Amino acid sequence: MKIPTYFLSSKTIDVLFDSALTAILIGCSAINSAEKDTQGLSNDAKAAVIAPAPDTAFTPNAQREKKVAYLPFQRVWIKPGVDFKAYQYLVVAPVNTQYMLQMDWLHKLSSVNYVTNVKKDIQDVAVYFQNQVLSDFKNNDNQHFIMLDYPAQQTQSVLQLELALIEIDPSMPMLNAAGWLVVGGGTAAGLINQRAVAFEGRIRDLGTNKIIATFADRNVQDVDPLDLTRLTWYGPAKQVIDQWAKEFVEIANRKPGEVITSPTAFSLNPF
């Protein structure tokens, strides 16, 4: 039987809150411990606690993707026989956001003004994503690609990285603090404070215009309900994006046998 909250004493509520917070701390501690054991367990820990995002039409034939042990992304497909080292140039296309605009919580915002603001924020995050990837490649002295502007001035020996943001679940407390009321439930309401971020990616050979690899990933940031450091609804997403940009460069420079890991980005520090 469900007990109405108004029948619970403040002491009982405090005990329940403390118990829930303790459970979160223990769970995250176990995950962080697993990440520190060996290089590969970080990817295993992430796979155990974060479900992949649903496929979108951005990635053709997504059903052929699978987990690749030495890569940090949840799903990957690489065309057999492709030698990425044979390509000399790389171009990073603007990040697609059309699938972000289909998020159910966005359509349940109670004000047209808020919807307009969020749509602008989404475009800003997409630009941030593209710029961060470009910056990480350009500032890495060891990577072998020559970066080209988009669109590329040439097509031979050129790879094009195409990314789509497909999900950002907001910090619900921050939305409420800003006066942005979400009507009803939806994905975001079910992921309060988990703040999932997801993308899909494609690599295109501009010489043939064919897609030679696809991949997708979802990660989370900040399970802490007391986190006061994120001043925008999308703030935690930028930390995940920073990690993805770093991983793209590491993958491009990967040596045979090397495992590229993706830490589960849980923060327990509220300040």
Side-chain angles (χ1 to χ4, degrees):
M1 180 179 69
K2 182 177 181 181
I3 301 176
T5 56
Y6 52 77
F7 285 128
L8 298 177
S9 68
S10 59
K11 181 177 181 180
T12 301
I13 293 174
D14 288 343
V15 170
L16 291 173
F17 177 81
D18 289 344
S19 298
L21 185 57
T22 300
I24 291 173
L25 292 172
I26 292 173
C28 292
S29 176
I31 291 171
N32 289 334
S33 296
E35 289 177 5
K36 295 175 183 177
D37 286 343
T38 66
Q39 187 181 35
L41 280 183
S42 177
N43 290 344
D44 293 339
K46 175 181 171 181
V49 298
I50 304 174
D55 297 329
T56 73
F58 182 80
T59 304
N61 302 314
Q63 68 278 1
R64 64 190 175 186
E65 296 175 341
K66 62 181 181 179
K67 184 71 185 80
V68 175
Y70 58 83
L71 295 177
F73 304 139
Q74 292 170 315
R75 303 194 307 270
V76 178
W77 170 80
I78 302 172
K79 182 180 178 181
V82 171
D83 179 10
F84 291 100
K85 299 297 184 182
Y87 294 86
Q88 186 178 2
Y89 304 96
L90 178 68
V91 60
V92 180
V95 175
N96 182 299
T97 61
Q98 72 178 88
Y99 303 101
M100 280 279 296
L101 300 179
Q102 299 172 7
M103 293 184 299
D104 57 0
W105 67 266
L106 174 60
H107 293 283
K108 293 177 181 178
L109 286 175
S110 61
S111 166
V112 173
N113 290 334
Y114 295 150
V115 172
T116 301
N117 291 338
V118 171
K119 287 182 177 179
K120 180 182 181 302
D121 289 341
I122 288 172
Q123 293 303 317
D124 290 344
V125 174
V127 171
Y128 178 87
F129 196 178
Q130 182 190 22
N131 288 341
Q132 192 65 30
V133 174
L134 285 169
S135 176
D136 277 24
F137 270 103
K138 289 179 179 179
N139 292 326
N140 188 291
D141 295 333
N142 297 321
Q143 65 95 11
H144 76 279
F145 286 114
I146 298 172
M147 305 304 294
L148 300 179
D149 293 332
Y150 180 86
Q153 297 82 11
Q154 62 189 73
T155 59
Q156 297 305 309
S157 192
V158 181
L159 294 178
Q160 179 165 281
L161 176 60
E162 302 171 359
L163 301 169
L165 272 172
I166 61 173
E167 176 186 61
I168 299 178
D169 286 312
S171 163
M172 294 300 291
M174 289 308 301
L175 282 180
N176 292 336
W180 296 6
L181 302 179
V182 178
V183 180
T187 301
L191 292 170
I192 292 176
N193 292 317
Q194 195 174 54
R195 308 177 195 180
V197 189
F199 84 92
E200 291 182 358
R202 310 182 298 217
I203 297 179
R204 188 183 302 274
D205 180 334
L206 288 187
T208 64
N209 202 38
K210 292 183 178 180
I211 295 171
I212 59 174
T214 63
F215 42 95
D217 197 43
R218 179 194 250 171
N219 212 337
V220 299
Q221 179 71 37
D222 289 338
V223 296
D224 181 9
L226 302 179
D227 185 355
L228 304 178
T229 64
R230 316 304 176 213
L231 301 181
T232 61
W233 68 269
Y234 58 85
K238 288 189 174 181
Q239 296 184 28
V240 178
I241 287 171
D242 291 349
Q243 179 62 33
W244 281 332
K246 176 183 175 182
E247 290 167 3
F248 292 148
V249 178
E250 290 176 345
I251 291 170
N253 299 330
R254 177 181 171 272
K255 299 178 177 61
E258 182 181 3
V259 176
I260 308 299
T261 60
S262 178
T264 47
F266 291 121
S267 170
L268 299 178
N269 184 2
F271 301 106

